[in-house]
Amino acid sequence: MPASLPEAGADDVLYLVDLSGYVFRAFHAIAPTLSSPSGEPTWATLGTITMLQRMVSERRPKRLAVAMDSVAATFRTEIDKRYKAHRPPPPKELQVQMARCRELVEAYRMPILQREGFEADDVIATAVKAARAEKLRAVIVSADKDLMQLVGDDVVLWDTMRNKVYGPDEVREKFGVPPALVRDALALTGDTSDNVPGVPSVGPKTAAELLLAHGTLEGIYQNLDKIARKKLQEALREHEAEARLSQRLVTLRDDVEVDASPARLVPGEPDAARLRQLFTDLNFTRLLAGLDKAAGAAGAGGATAGAPGGKAGAAPAAPAADVARAYRAIVSEAELEAFVKEAKGSPLVAVDTETDGLDPVRAGLLGLSLAHRGGEGVYVPLGHAYEGAPAQLSLEAARRLVGPLLGGTKPGVVGHHLKFDELVLRRHGFELGPPAFDTMIASYLLDPEAQHGLKEMAQRELGATMTTYEQVTEKQRGKQLAFAEVKVEAAAAYAGADALLSLELCERLMPRVEAEGLLPLLRDVELPLALTLNDMELAGVLVDTAALKKMGTVLEGQLVELEAKAKKAAGRDFNINAPRQLEVLLFDELKLPVVKRTKTARSTDAEVLDALSDQHPLPAIILEHRQLAKLKSTYIDTLPSLVNPATGRIHTRYSQTVAATGRLSSSDPNLQNIPIRTEVGRAIRAAFVAPPGFTLLSADYSQIELRILAHLSHDPEFVEAFASGDDVHARTAAGIFHVPRGEVTGQMRRVAKTINFGVIYGMGDSALAKRLGVPRDEAAKFIEAYFKRYAGVRAYLDRSLDEARSAGGVTTLLGRRRFLPDLSSGNRASRLQAERVAQNTPIQGTAADILKAAMIKLRAPVVPGARMILTVHDELIFEVPAGREAEAGERVKAAMEGVAKLDVPLVVEVGSGATWAEAHG
């Protein structure tokens, strides 16, 4: 079973918080957007203290200590002066916030463990030893992998930012060895973020294999001659001193002279007056309001256990799973009027819709659920039809009564996936005011790779198990019920929970979003973007279905020709769509090398076929056939079926919470995968047409990711190339090939372009050699020459990787973040992939944020009658009245280029035409 936390409020558990680690992590993981009225930086302070407050409120620890690093150098620098020596001095902003966090912890009256000359990890190890001596369990609140060597049956490590608990099994999964061998694993692999050398060429997987075979680092060196891999044996022998030095550096000291006796580590009563002053000075309004609320509850005889440092004996608030929740249906105007009157006095109201379909452009409204206070959710049925169904309100009555409640700014409208509900309600005559909070988007911003479904979030965050759609529409007489056939009472419990739990999640997540510096991104980008996307979905795009049908006939003929060509290359007949037949043909008959394997067979996927294309003509033919067949089935055959009969247009759906980078994704159809440079891709885009009297206008950011890289790296030559309007690919080619600028050929420029963009995605010499069709050593020389010319880019990529390892993830310029636990994975492939993502996400994510900001800015028509209808990658497509193209293009270009201020100019290329292909150029 996965590791879990001990029961909340248990007497035999000691919580140990790595405060220094959390401040440092928050400093790098949260965008620096918050400061006090006096100008003091506060983003890391607020993030850390909110985490601490939430942890104490949820876990109600009876024993607790906060560990902090030594301010002065530690004993490890005496062992090796290189230890952490590559790190620059901590920024003043970090020092200020570290000191503030200590001040706040002292005001909360939490015991602090700190000793000059030692790191927080050593203090925690000492406290764990003391807890074990008294048969207590321990929870280490940290994300530091070094502390995993302390994990055992009685000790878990809890990464609160990812809500991940590590027990012995999780540690073994991460390192490949049990906790007792983590120290030796780290000694072998080293740690670049701390300048621990380790043994070159020994990665986590090799380290685990060695330790499992020989027991310990000492056992490895006692059995060095038994290691079969000679190069590995030589590396271990040559670097034995570094391995043993590394072991000393990563070993946690558990004999630090601090009073870590569990009896002393008990939180006291918070100094409310001091906290109030600090929260006021720092402008922590939400924490200040929570303090006042707690004081009011205490004055009324209520419990205060939810506040950090609350009395150990105070009665705790009920866990979310135990909260009483009631649901009811509202079927009369008088009852709904009374509910609305009461809800108008609340700060927030949650709304959710029940529909007869999942396409918001087509779905009918069956009812809506509402909640404005804890404990109650209501459902207003509008279209339930079954024998004995009660009379229900008309849609007109619901609009008249509920419309004013949802159409203003107070109460603030919240929900889960409000984008869907807003579009459904808009189509049925309701107008929602600016959304105040969306729990699905909040979850996505807090951790883009978590599960963002309402039911998963309710379970994860509230401990609440929700009824599923399949359960409420259970089969009757062998037939699945439609939701309109579900009895109103059952529908009320199901739908009312959607609204009520959305409200509870909002109240739970809103402080976290604010504390972690994500509120501007939510409020200023994602929430208004949802309204813009709904405008586009509702508008749709016109498609020439006759042209698609004609194109399909042509492609059918090309596929037949490719199939015949493949059989000729194979020398016999075979089923081109049968992977097993192709596997036998390629590897058994043609004797081509096996590139990779699946669990059950030798792979014949696109990557394999591409790798084999230079050894035999058949793989390239198969690859071309597959690509053509996929485009035909995905777009040419499918697009006509997606035309809405009521509008005659296709209404693609955009999602904000799928791509971890922040990029938008689309479905039905997915427009992101239409090839840009192929003949078929252009033909598909040519089928997207302007209606009579209109022209399509395309506005596309030029080289936006390279421009963002120039801004982030501050490389002087890279910046100057864009600032001067130079051809950056030609300039790069001149440097790589060591030729004067005037002698750069088209082929040289193409190579340079591949490298320029490859750098963003962490392309190494092997991948570059494959892409360019050159030997690997030649590709390595290209990369070396590139980084010699753009040394600032190399420094930025290295720096960003170091910061990602320290913070556990990366952020964009606007504060969007992504966690990357695989940066310390024992699997080399996973680790390298995480490193590539760490270097790419700040660039790609910032590009996504800039495009989103531009879309919001361009929501209003740029000229009368114009409207934005599509977005793909870095491109926006508009329908513009014929004759207004030039005027519209100038306004779109100015808006997109002026939406962000970088060290280099943003450039937008604008084109227009009767089809998307013509407009894009």
Side-chain angles (χ1 to χ4, degrees):
M1 285 183 63
S4 59
L5 295 170
E7 59 277 17
D11 290 323
D12 64 336
V13 180
L14 170 63
Y15 285 78
L16 297 161
V17 181
D18 175 14
L19 191 75
S20 295
Y22 265 99
V23 178
F24 187 81
R25 193 177 185 191
F27 182 83
H28 288 289
I30 298 174
T33 56
L34 299 176
S35 60
S36 71
S38 67
E40 177 183 331
T42 59
W43 71 89
T45 306
L46 182 59
T48 302
I49 295 304
T50 301
M51 177 282 299
L52 191 60
Q53 186 186 61
R54 187 173 70 248
M55 185 274 295
V56 173
S57 176
E58 291 176 5
R59 306 313 307 165
R60 309 193 299 278
K62 300 294 180 61
R63 293 181 173 85
L64 169 71
V66 171
M68 298 192 70
D69 285 330
S70 165
V71 176
T74 71
F75 72 92
R76 289 181 176 86
T77 57
E78 297 175 10
I79 296 174
D80 184 4
K81 294 192 181 301
R82 297 171 298 174
Y83 181 71
K84 294 187 178 181
H86 65 308
R87 292 187 181 182
K92 182 181 178 182
E93 295 87 351
L94 176 59
Q95 296 179 49
V96 167
Q97 294 183 85
M98 189 74 76
R100 274 297 195 189
C101 284
R102 181 185 179 108
E103 199 174 353
L104 284 159
V105 168
E106 289 173 343
Y108 276 128
R109 301 270 173 78
M110 297 180 184
I112 295 176
L113 297 177
Q114 187 176 31
R115 183 74 179 183
E116 288 305 297
F118 294 90
E119 295 180 32
D121 292 3
D122 303 304
V123 174
I124 288 173
T126 302
V128 167
K129 182 180 178 181
R132 280 174 163 153
E134 296 194 23
K135 308 297 183 187
L136 297 176
R137 293 177 288 171
V139 176
I140 301 170
V141 184
S142 175
D144 191 340
K145 65 180 182 299
D146 293 349
L147 287 166
M148 292 184 185
Q149 56 190 284
L150 302 174
V151 167
D153 292 336
D154 54 352
V155 176
V156 296
L157 182 140
W158 179 25
D159 179 355
T160 58
M161 201 171 274
R162 287 193 67 84
N163 198 23
K164 170 79 173 176
V165 180
Y166 291 87
D169 290 344
E170 287 75 16
V171 171
R172 182 185 286 272
E173 180 183 355
K174 183 177 181 66
F175 286 96
V177 297
L181 293 178
V182 166
R183 179 193 67 161
D184 289 353
L186 293 171
L188 287 165
T189 61
D191 188 340
T192 55
S193 64
D194 288 345
N195 235 14
V196 176
V199 177
S201 78
V202 174
K205 186 176 180 181
T206 301
E209 291 171 354
L210 288 168
L211 290 168
L212 293 176
H214 303 291
T216 62
L217 184 69
E218 188 61 41
I220 291 169
Y221 278 103
Q222 287 177 357
N223 294 279
L224 211 53
D225 293 339
K226 297 179 182 177
I227 295 174
R229 290 155 58 186
K230 292 303 178 186
K231 284 189 176 180
L232 176 59
Q233 186 186 116
E234 290 169 8
L236 288 165
R237 181 174 285 109
E238 182 181 349
H239 297 282
E240 179 176 359
E242 288 97 323
R244 294 192 182 279
L245 170 66
S246 299
Q247 186 187 50
R248 292 176 65 198
L249 291 173
V250 301
T251 298
L252 300 184
R253 290 274 298 273
D254 61 7
D255 59 349
V256 181
E257 293 182 13
V258 292
D259 186 358
S261 57
R264 188 185 78 83
L265 305 182
V266 176
E269 188 71 23
D271 184 342
R274 180 64 180 141
L275 286 172
R276 182 168 284 104
Q277 183 62 54
L278 287 168
F279 290 163
T280 301
D281 292 345
L282 296 169
N283 198 33
F284 290 173
T285 54
R286 196 174 293 277
L287 291 178
L288 189 62
L291 194 67
D292 292 337
K293 184 177 178 182
T304 60
K311 285 186 177 179
D322 299 330
V323 170
R325 299 184 178 97
Y327 307 106
R328 62 187 173 95
I330 291 180
V331 294
S332 72
E333 288 196 24
E335 198 176 1
L336 183 56
E337 196 170 352
F339 175 87
V340 168
K341 184 177 180 181
E342 187 180 272
K344 282 182 177 178
S346 299
L348 300 173
V349 60
V351 64
D352 187 74
T353 58
E354 296 302 333
T355 62
D356 58 9
L358 297 177
D359 182 351
V361 175
R362 303 192 192 196
L365 181 63
L366 298 177
L368 55 96
S369 53
L370 302 160
H372 72 92
R373 64 183 179 189
E376 182 187 53
V378 303
Y379 179 58
V380 183
L382 302 173
H384 286 256
Y386 55 88
E387 187 176 346
Q392 296 156 56
L393 289 168
S394 67
L395 179 60
E396 187 280 328
R399 274 198 301 260
R400 176 167 43 83
L401 295 171
V402 179
L405 177 68
L406 303 178
T409 57
K410 187 177 180 183
V413 177
V414 302
H416 187 88
H417 194 14
L418 269 177
K419 177 176 169 293
F420 179 93
D421 301 305
E422 193 273 340
L423 187 47
V424 169
L425 289 169
R426 189 195 301 190
R427 286 182 45 250
H428 288 83
F430 295 82
E431 186 175 338
L432 261 64
F437 200 82
D438 188 311
T439 55
M440 185 170 80
I441 295 176
S443 172
Y444 170 73
L445 294 180
L446 287 165
D447 185 353
E449 289 167 297
Q451 290 184 305
H452 311 304
L454 179 59
K455 290 172 176 55
E456 291 83 2
M457 287 178 62
Q459 184 65 57
R460 181 174 72 239
E461 298 288 345
L462 306 172
T465 302
M466 299 179 69
T467 302
T468 66
Y469 181 82
E470 290 71 25
Q471 288 171 329
V472 78
T473 58
E474 61 183 351
K475 287 184 177 180
Q476 291 187 5
R477 300 186 185 91
K479 174 179 171 288
Q480 192 88 28
L481 292 178
F483 194 76
E485 300 173 294
V486 174
K487 286 185 167 54
V488 164
E489 296 78 8
Y494 171 81
D498 287 351
L500 179 56
L501 291 172
S502 294
L503 183 65
E504 290 183 25
L505 282 168
C506 171
E507 292 170 344
R508 188 174 187 85
L509 297 181
M510 193 179 288
R512 284 167 58 184
V513 167
E514 184 177 5
E516 296 181 25
L518 297 166
L519 187 59
L521 194 59
L522 176 75
R523 180 192 59 216
D524 302 334
V525 178
E526 296 294 351
L527 291 179
L529 177 69
L531 301 178
T532 304
L533 293 174
N534 277 348
D535 292 347
M536 295 165 65
E537 290 186 21
L538 203 53
V541 62
L542 194 62
V543 172
D544 186 343
T545 55
L548 288 170
K549 184 177 181 181
K550 185 178 178 181
M551 197 188 316
T553 303
V554 172
L555 287 189
E556 189 63 48
Q558 291 178 4
L559 287 169
V560 170
E561 290 177 8
L562 283 170
E563 187 169 353
K565 190 176 177 182
K567 291 175 180 178
K568 184 177 179 180
R572 68 171 178 84
D573 187 30
F574 72 101
N575 184 348
I576 198 169
N577 296 311
R580 177 58 185 159
Q581 287 188 34
L582 182 61
E583 178 191 358
V584 171
L585 182 56
L586 291 176
F587 305 120
D588 296 334
E589 297 179 24
L590 297 178
K591 306 298 183 185
L592 294 175
V594 176
V595 177
K596 66 179 180 180
R597 295 178 181 272
T598 65
K599 289 183 179 179
T600 57
R602 294 160 294 184
S603 176
T604 60
D605 66 11
E607 183 183 355
V608 170
L609 294 175
D610 187 44
L612 296 175
S613 291
D614 59 350
Q615 300 186 43
H616 195 279
L618 180 61
I621 299 168
I622 299 293
L623 194 56
E624 185 180 357
H625 184 278
R626 283 186 184 174
Q627 291 168 344
L628 209 58
K630 185 173 182 180
L631 287 173
K632 183 176 182 294
S633 63
T634 304
Y635 296 107
I636 295 166
D637 295 343
T638 303
L639 285 175
S641 69
L642 296 175
V643 172
N644 186 324
T647 66
R649 297 165 73 94
I650 286 177
H651 303 265
T652 190
R653 278 180 272 170
Y654 292 101
S655 175
Q656 298 165 262
T657 59
V658 173
T661 58
R663 289 279 191 187
L664 291 169
S665 62
S666 65
S667 59
D668 302 319
N670 176 3
L671 302 176
Q672 312 293 334
N673 292 336
I674 300 175
I676 295 173
R677 295 177 181 85
T678 68
E679 184 180 342
V680 177
R682 284 190 291 272
I684 293 170
R685 291 201 306 278
F688 288 75
V689 298
F694 286 81
T695 300
L696 293 187
L697 185 143
S698 166
D700 195 4
Y701 277 113
S702 172
Q703 301 174 336
I704 186 171
E705 293 185 351
L706 290 179
R707 293 171 188 274
I708 291 167
L709 176 59
H711 173 82
L712 292 172
S713 68
H714 305 296
D715 181 275
E717 180 150 356
F718 215 38
V719 169
E720 200 276 329
F722 285 114
S724 65
D726 195 3
D727 182 338
V728 70
H729 300 316
R731 180 180 288 218
T732 299
I736 289 174
F737 290 99
H738 309 291
V739 298
R741 176 64 181 279
E743 296 180 15
V744 171
T745 65
Q747 177 58 24
M748 290 176 179
R749 187 182 182 279
R750 282 189 288 275
V751 169
K753 182 177 181 179
T754 301
I755 297 172
N756 274 330
F757 284 107
V759 163
I760 294 174
Y761 293 93
M763 185 183 292
D765 52 14
S766 179
L768 181 61
K770 184 177 176 182
R771 181 73 61 86
L772 297 176
V774 299
R776 186 169 175 177
D777 60 343
E778 186 176 347
K781 289 177 183 177
F782 284 154
I783 293 175
E784 182 182 358
Y786 178 91
F787 284 124
K788 187 174 182 180
R789 187 173 187 89
Y790 301 125
V793 172
R794 174 77 280 167
Y796 162 71
L797 293 173
D798 291 342
R799 184 171 67 251
S800 64
L801 198 51
D802 285 342
E803 290 177 357
R805 291 191 184 102
S806 299
V810 293
T811 60
T812 69
L813 282 180
L814 270 68
R816 187 181 304 280
R817 69 189 192 188
R818 186 175 183 180
F819 293 106
L820 297 169
D822 281 345
L823 284 172
S824 56
S825 172
N827 182 295
R828 182 174 182 273
S830 298
R831 189 175 69 257
L832 291 176
Q833 173 61 19
E835 290 175 357
R836 288 190 288 270
V837 170
Q839 293 175 329
N840 168 251
T841 293
I843 300 167
Q844 194 176 93
T846 297
D849 291 340
I850 288 173
L851 182 77
K852 288 177 176 180
M855 292 175 69
I856 295 165
K857 196 172 181 179
L858 289 165
R859 185 185 181 194
V862 288
V863 296
R867 57 182 177 178
M868 184 162 46
I869 58 170
L870 292 176
T871 178
V872 181
H873 302 303
D874 302 319
E875 180 184 11
L876 299 178
I877 298 100
F878 300 79
E879 280 181 355
V880 178
R884 306 293 295 269
E885 300 91 346
E887 181 185 359
E890 288 175 5
R891 293 182 180 179
V892 169
K893 182 179 173 69
M896 292 176 70
E897 291 181 347
V899 78
K901 299 299 180 186
L902 304 180
D903 290 348
V904 300
L906 289 171
V907 174
V908 173
E909 296 174 347
V910 178
S912 60
T915 72
W916 180 13
E918 287 181 25
H920 187 77

